[in-house]
Amino acid sequence: MSDLTEFIKKYGKPYDPETDDYDVPPFQKNIDNASKSSKIYNMHMYWTKQDPYVVRQYIEHYTKPGDIVLDAFCGTGMTGVAAMMCGRHAILLEISPACIHIARNYTTPIDPNVLYKAYQELKAKVEPEIKPLYKTKCHNCGNSNAQIANTILSDVYKCPRCGVDVLYAGDGRWERMKKGEKLRRIRCGNCGYEFSKAKAEFVRVEPIEIRVDCSVCKTKGQKKAKPLDEEDWKRYIEIEGGERFINELGSEALEEMKEEKGLDKLSPKEPPYWYPKDVKFFGDEPKRNYKRGITHPYQMFSRRNLIALSILWHYIGQIESDQVADKMRLLFTATLYNVSSMYMWRMTGKGGLRKGTLYIPSLIQDMNVFKTFQDKSGDLFRAAIEMGSFKPVLSLGAKSDARRLESIPDNSIDFAYYDPPYGKNINYSELNIMWEAWLDEFTDIHKEILENEFQGKSRETYEAMMLSALKEAYRVLKPERRLTMVYSYSDPSMYRTIQNIAHKAGFIDEGEVLHVNSTMKTVAQMDSDVTQQRFLVFNFKKPREIQKEKAIRISEDIQYEVIKVVQEFLIKHPGQTRDYIYDQVIKRLFTSVRIQKFDLDEILKNFFRKVGNEWYAPGTLLTRKEEEKPQTELFTPRLLEHPEKEVVLRLQEFLEKYGKVPYSELREFFLRKINIPIDGHFDQLVKENFIIEEGKVRLPTLQEQRRMQDITIRYQTRMIKRFLEGKFDKRVSDTELCEWMEFCYKNGLYREGVRLFALINQEGMDQETFRKIKKIAEVCRIKSE
């Protein structure tokens, strides 16, 4: 009997169709304040991670204490954490050894005192070997036993014209970047040629500055920064090796050391203990770093940090207690990415990663390994204390394929919460190898459910693998129980794919599509209004009896369906961002229409108006955000939401006070009283937001606003023009051409009406209808001249 079977036999409640009275309504609550700030959540990073306090709400709604929750795509184990919070048992399955390692530690409580004692013992062993690697002299007080907190490493490129080495942060660029300037091009100091990073050959990295941690003067902020002195350079070269440097002091130190050793090039120092030297990258994501000569995970670290990591890993392996050693390995993997070359310098002084990639920046903030390990230990201790408050329940983690749940009996699971891979969004195994190389256990990519060109997995392959996984979820769930699935994808057709898969597996839709919105955003979410900002949540139910697959209506015109949803949403909720509109479209259409691919950006551009980064229905007046204080005077200075929006708001307020005003007067008011730079042209801004009549500008009346908000006329006009331009991919009958002609006549599109008449086939038409259309065409011809 397997561990899973034994676990369910011991803690599960057998399903009896005669006595089962489960009757729970669907969970119907959107969550907009998921903070992801709990102590336990921050213990270890991952590419996608659900807030356990959110998952807990679903578990508590759909289950009772003592029930069993399944997550066959458990990732870091947040479903298990949530289950433990509310007294439920959990089965956590994953194919990734890195995920099982993280999830196991997240759901295995430990005495914080035992953990702290083990950490102090480990610290005492590793510090004597690691500290000398980061030794430096404090430039503020002269303390010769200070530590390097981090080293700033700059890319060096070969000038495409003269071939000379050019330091990315050289020639005053470093000082400019520290002031916030973003450099698009680099100027060669030798020949004056300007080039972009993409056009230049990468040569190496070179240190430009270090930050000092001094236990004597305890200097903070910018005063911690200093250029490398002679001893710093010698220590750097001794560890990292080198052939040449741009820095004059570094070059002198290198030449002196090469002469002493009688070598033309100094090789990097070899780590004293084991490290994953033979593990190679695979797949598409690592290719971005091949130009840097990086083909193995160990090369993602400076040699200094690799040596420190090997020391740390060696002594963790000597810890006798398996549970304590496992927690220290978790602390090690939690530290790993933050001490890699992927950790980028930021102007704020606090570095960061571009999560979900293996991106290496041009300015690396190379962190002190043990200091980072020490700082991260605080998260581990705080999490251990928080986990001590959980109810005494069990979570079982195992390496298992979501498509193969043979050890779990039919009708035995009370609730399933899945956060599966999102198509081709993230190549998990290609990223997780950074952890798995050290754990010395690797993902079987043949079992990985995703869309991936390197693995030869198409969208169809992904669909088939997901279908197998959901069929298994359907089999093991008790009847009437739910599968809650979290998903996020930029291609709208993927949501129809997910629904089709769920239906084929036997599930039925239940309730509305919901969303979870985190207050913490990824870099992509902060930098782009195209990236999805929320996770969408689907609730699927396993019915007591097999039901016929629900027929989903096929839309004859998906673009028009989307336009109607957006129009209705923006009239009720004006001033929404693109990502929020996208989510609303998916939520509204998911259960009623077979969603095909559509271009939301094109729809928004052609039928709605953008002010700042917000979208409005035509004719809608702008409003300020609720949290802003009401203004006491008409032109009181205030913090700008967005320059363009602020201009429209102030023009609107001006027109509300003075009514219809001459265009020249409104422009004068803009130039003299508002004086806020905008990206677009002022005339276009006025045309898009107000009514212009005989050289005067006013606000639209309520009747005019409703007419402007009628999207049908604009949509039909665009359809006709696209047809006449040869861009319409659908055959149009003579009857439809006649209807379009009448539309053109009623709406003043006379030239278009004449052109449409020329395309009508008289022979296939009723003569009375043709005579009528011919008269309309003649009127259109006269009016168009």
Side-chain angles (χ1 to χ4, degrees):
M1 185 179 291
S2 74
D3 291 343
L4 282 175
T5 307
E6 184 64 34
F7 185 86
I8 292 169
K9 183 178 180 181
K10 184 174 182 179
Y11 298 106
K13 303 179 184 72
Y15 173 70
D16 183 350
E18 300 298 324
T19 59
D20 184 64
D21 59 353
Y22 185 87
D23 184 20
V24 177
F27 185 89
Q28 292 288 264
K29 177 185 174 185
N30 289 308
I31 299 173
D32 284 304
N33 58 348
S35 65
K36 299 184 178 180
S37 60
S38 71
K39 300 178 183 68
I40 193 168
Y41 182 91
N42 294 324
M43 194 162 65
H44 201 291
M45 64 160 283
Y46 199 60
W47 320 116
T48 57
K49 207 162 150 194
Q50 298 302 312
D51 185 340
Y53 286 94
V54 171
V55 182
R56 175 181 180 173
Q57 295 182 52
Y58 281 88
I59 292 175
E60 288 182 328
H61 180 83
Y62 284 122
T63 65
K64 297 176 182 177
D67 281 353
I68 295 180
V69 178
L70 168 68
D71 187 350
F73 298 95
C74 77
T76 56
M78 292 301 101
T79 299
V81 173
M84 293 170 67
M85 286 176 174
C86 53
R88 276 69 163 170
H89 302 292
I91 295 175
L92 308 175
L93 306 176
E94 253 291 350
I95 62 166
S96 165
C99 288
I100 289 297
H101 155 73
I102 299 168
R104 180 178 62 247
N105 278 286
Y106 259 119
T107 54
T108 307
I110 188 172
D111 184 336
N113 295 316
V114 171
L115 188 63
Y116 184 74
K117 180 183 176 184
Y119 168 78
Q120 291 299 329
E121 291 173 354
L122 176 65
K123 179 181 176 182
K125 290 179 180 179
V126 301
E127 273 192 321
E129 293 187 42
I130 291 180
K131 274 197 167 185
L133 297 169
Y134 300 94
K135 185 179 178 182
T136 189
K137 183 177 181 180
C138 178
H139 54 296
N140 292 303
C141 71
N143 174 20
S144 59
N145 288 311
Q147 286 280 287
I148 296 172
N150 60 72
T151 304
I152 307 301
L153 303 173
S154 170
D155 278 357
V156 175
Y157 300 101
K158 182 180 288 187
C159 174
R161 175 185 284 175
C162 68
V164 166
D165 287 355
V166 179
L167 187 68
Y168 174 65
D171 294 329
R173 287 184 288 272
W174 176 227
E175 294 304 319
R176 288 157 56 195
M177 285 188 278
K178 286 196 283 188
K179 292 177 182 177
E181 185 175 341
K182 293 183 179 180
L183 302 180
R184 304 298 179 191
R185 301 184 70 78
I186 308 164
R187 187 176 184 276
C188 175
N190 182 58
C191 70
Y193 182 67
E194 289 192 355
F195 59 92
S196 64
K197 293 187 292 182
K199 299 293 184 182
E201 178 186 340
F202 171 81
V203 180
R204 64 180 181 278
V205 295
E206 186 166 318
I208 58 170
E209 193 171 278
I210 61 178
R211 305 295 201 276
V212 179
D213 269 344
C214 180
S215 59
V216 176
C217 67
K218 296 182 172 60
T219 300
K220 295 182 179 181
Q222 290 300 318
K223 290 183 178 180
K224 293 178 68 168
K226 73 162 187 173
L228 282 73
D229 59 31
E230 184 178 355
E231 288 303 311
D232 293 325
W233 270 109
K234 286 184 176 180
R235 186 169 288 107
Y236 179 85
I237 295 166
E238 180 186 354
I239 296 170
E240 303 289 343
E243 188 174 2
R244 63 184 184 274
F245 293 107
I246 294 173
N247 182 276
E248 186 176 341
L249 189 59
S251 294
E252 291 174 359
L254 177 64
E255 291 306 315
E256 182 182 328
M257 294 173 74
K258 286 197 297 187
E259 187 175 341
E260 285 177 5
K261 298 178 183 291
L263 298 172
D264 294 329
K265 177 183 177 181
L266 299 183
S267 299
K269 190 174 182 179
E270 188 65 21
Y273 305 108
W274 177 89
Y275 64 98
K277 189 174 184 178
D278 298 324
V279 178
K280 291 188 71 173
F281 279 123
F282 65 89
D284 295 322
E285 179 56 34
K287 289 179 181 177
R288 65 167 72 237
N289 295 321
Y290 287 175
K291 63 185 178 182
R292 289 176 171 264
I294 294 176
T295 55
H296 294 63
Y298 81 86
Q299 295 172 318
M300 298 291 281
F301 304 94
S302 66
R303 187 50 61 112
R304 183 180 350 230
N305 283 6
L306 182 63
I307 292 170
L309 288 169
S310 77
I311 295 168
L312 198 51
W313 189 253
H314 171 74
Y315 284 105
I316 288 173
Q318 292 187 347
I319 297 173
E320 292 182 2
S321 166
D322 291 341
Q323 188 185 29
V324 172
D326 210 23
K327 285 290 187 284
M328 290 301 142
R329 281 191 288 269
L330 180 77
L331 185 52
F332 181 93
T333 55
T335 302
L336 210 54
Y337 267 91
N338 289 349
V339 297
S340 73
S341 296
M342 290 177 282
Y343 205 73
M344 67 180 76
W345 172 84
R346 289 176 178 159
M347 188 184 71
T348 59
K350 186 177 181 180
L353 298 164
R354 185 171 290 180
K355 288 186 179 180
T357 74
L358 294 175
Y359 170 78
I360 296 178
S362 297
L363 283 174
I364 299 165
Q365 188 163 312
D366 200 42
M367 304 297 292
N368 180 312
V369 165
F370 193 74
K371 183 181 185 305
T372 307
F373 186 81
Q374 192 168 15
D375 291 345
K376 196 65 186 171
S377 68
D379 290 332
L380 183 64
F381 300 142
R382 286 186 288 270
I385 294 170
E386 184 178 0
M387 289 168 68
S389 66
F390 294 167
K391 298 173 184 178
V393 293
L394 290 178
S395 290
L396 178 65
K399 186 178 177 183
S400 180
D401 187 343
R403 302 169 299 158
R404 305 282 186 271
L405 307 180
E406 295 93 343
S407 299
I408 303 180
D410 296 358
N411 305 325
S412 60
I413 300 297
D414 299 294
F415 174 60
Y417 189 96
Y418 280 12
D419 179 15
Y422 312 141
K424 60 181 178 182
N425 273 11
I426 298 175
N427 297 315
Y428 291 96
S429 59
E430 297 174 13
L431 299 171
N432 290 354
I433 195 172
M434 287 284 290
W435 293 310
E436 293 175 359
W438 290 90
L439 296 170
D440 200 24
E441 189 177 1
F442 304 92
T443 300
D444 182 349
I445 63 173
H446 298 98
K447 297 178 181 178
E448 192 172 21
I449 301 177
L450 80 171
E451 188 179 344
N452 183 291
E453 186 176 345
F454 172 80
Q455 295 183 21
K457 293 174 182 174
S458 63
R459 170 72 72 88
E460 290 71 27
T461 307
Y462 172 75
E463 291 176 18
M465 296 179 82
M466 277 295 295
L467 176 58
S468 296
L470 293 201
K471 281 183 175 179
E472 279 290 85
Y474 180 87
R475 179 184 65 78
V476 302
L477 273 172
K478 295 175 181 176
E480 292 297 296
R481 274 54 170 193
R482 275 58 166 213
L483 164 66
T484 292
M485 184 183 293
V486 181
Y487 214 79
S488 177
Y489 207 73
S490 57
D491 178 357
S493 65
M494 181 62 92
Y495 290 98
R496 180 56 51 215
T497 296
I498 293 300
Q499 188 181 48
N500 288 340
I501 290 170
H503 290 173
K504 287 179 181 178
F507 290 103
I508 59 174
D509 300 330
E510 185 180 61
E512 298 178 4
V513 177
L514 305 173
H515 70 251
V516 174
N517 187 22
S518 171
T519 55
M520 293 178 65
K521 302 296 182 185
T522 66
V523 173
Q525 287 173 328
M526 290 186 287
D527 290 349
S528 170
D529 67 349
V530 177
T531 305
Q532 255 192 286
Q533 305 287 308
R534 283 156 290 280
F535 294 100
L536 296 186
V537 185
F538 308 96
N539 289 310
F540 299 116
K541 182 168 79 170
K542 175 179 177 177
R544 290 189 190 279
E545 298 177 357
I546 297 176
Q547 297 186 5
K548 186 178 180 181
E549 189 175 329
K550 180 181 177 182
I552 302 293
R553 177 172 60 87
I554 299 176
S555 173
E556 294 183 3
D557 190 342
I558 188 64
Q559 302 288 330
Y560 189 53
E561 299 269 7
V562 172
I563 289 169
K564 287 195 296 183
V565 171
V566 176
Q567 177 74 355
E568 182 181 329
F569 177 61
L570 290 182
I571 289 174
K572 290 181 179 178
H573 308 283
Q576 299 296 329
T577 56
R578 185 259 187 209
D579 67 280
Y580 208 98
I581 295 167
Y582 176 86
D583 287 353
Q584 290 300 315
V585 171
I586 299 299
K587 290 167 73 172
R588 285 282 303 278
L589 298 183
F590 185 80
T591 56
S592 60
V593 178
R594 183 171 296 173
I595 303 176
Q596 300 119 37
K597 197 164 187 175
F598 58 82
D599 191 337
L600 181 60
D601 296 307
E602 192 69 17
I603 288 170
L604 290 172
K605 184 176 74 173
N606 288 309
F607 297 99
F608 302 93
R609 88 182 200 271
K610 188 178 186 182
V611 181
N613 63 344
E614 298 173 348
W615 290 93
Y616 294 82
T620 306
L621 298 183
L622 274 60
T623 55
R624 295 193 182 279
K625 293 179 179 178
E626 291 181 6
E627 61 266 26
E628 286 194 336
K629 294 180 180 179
Q631 64 186 100
T632 54
E633 296 179 24
L634 184 58
F635 309 124
T636 303
R638 60 172 66 85
L639 185 66
L640 303 185
E641 293 179 20
H642 186 283
E644 186 179 342
K645 181 177 179 181
E646 187 64 26
V647 169
V648 174
L649 281 165
R650 295 194 190 183
L651 293 175
Q652 190 174 289
E653 290 162 358
F654 182 81
L655 293 172
E656 284 171 352
K657 182 175 183 180
Y658 295 106
K660 184 188 291 189
V661 301
Y663 190 94
S664 58
E665 185 177 327
L666 189 69
R667 186 177 183 83
E668 184 75 8
F669 170 70
F670 166 69
L671 294 172
R672 292 183 176 275
K673 297 291 185 180
I674 300 179
N675 194 27
I676 296 174
I678 56 175
D679 293 333
H681 198 280
F682 176 77
D683 295 339
Q684 185 66 25
L685 183 141
V686 172
K687 182 180 177 182
E688 289 176 353
N689 291 278
F690 307 110
I691 301 295
I692 304 174
E693 291 177 336
E694 299 176 348
K696 292 187 176 182
V697 186
R698 63 174 174 83
L699 296 174
T701 64
L702 284 175
Q703 187 176 2
E704 286 170 333
Q705 287 180 46
R706 293 192 187 99
R707 188 168 65 247
M708 293 165 72
Q709 289 166 0
D710 183 358
I711 214 73
T712 307
I713 294 175
R714 295 180 64 199
Y715 181 73
Q716 191 71 27
T717 301
R718 179 168 171 75
M719 295 272 285
I720 291 169
K721 289 183 176 181
R722 285 180 62 83
F723 171 75
L724 292 172
E725 291 169 359
K727 298 177 181 178
F728 203 66
D729 55 3
K730 179 181 171 185
R731 185 181 177 278
V732 180
S733 67
D734 288 329
T735 302
E736 287 175 301
L737 288 174
C738 292
E739 291 172 354
W740 282 6
M741 276 194 64
E742 291 190 51
F743 173 85
C744 289
Y745 170 69
K746 291 176 181 178
N747 291 281
L749 302 172
Y750 303 121
R751 285 190 173 86
E752 287 79 2
V754 172
R755 292 179 64 190
L756 288 172
F757 180 72
L759 300 173
I760 293 175
N761 181 13
Q762 178 182 352
E763 295 179 3
M765 288 187 60
D766 171 73
Q767 292 305 304
E768 182 63 31
T769 303
F770 182 76
R771 281 194 292 271
K772 177 184 175 183
I773 291 300
K774 188 176 181 180
K775 287 181 180 178
I776 291 175
E778 184 61 25
V779 174
C780 286
R781 185 186 63 77
I782 294 169
K783 288 185 173 287
S784 66
E785 291 177 350

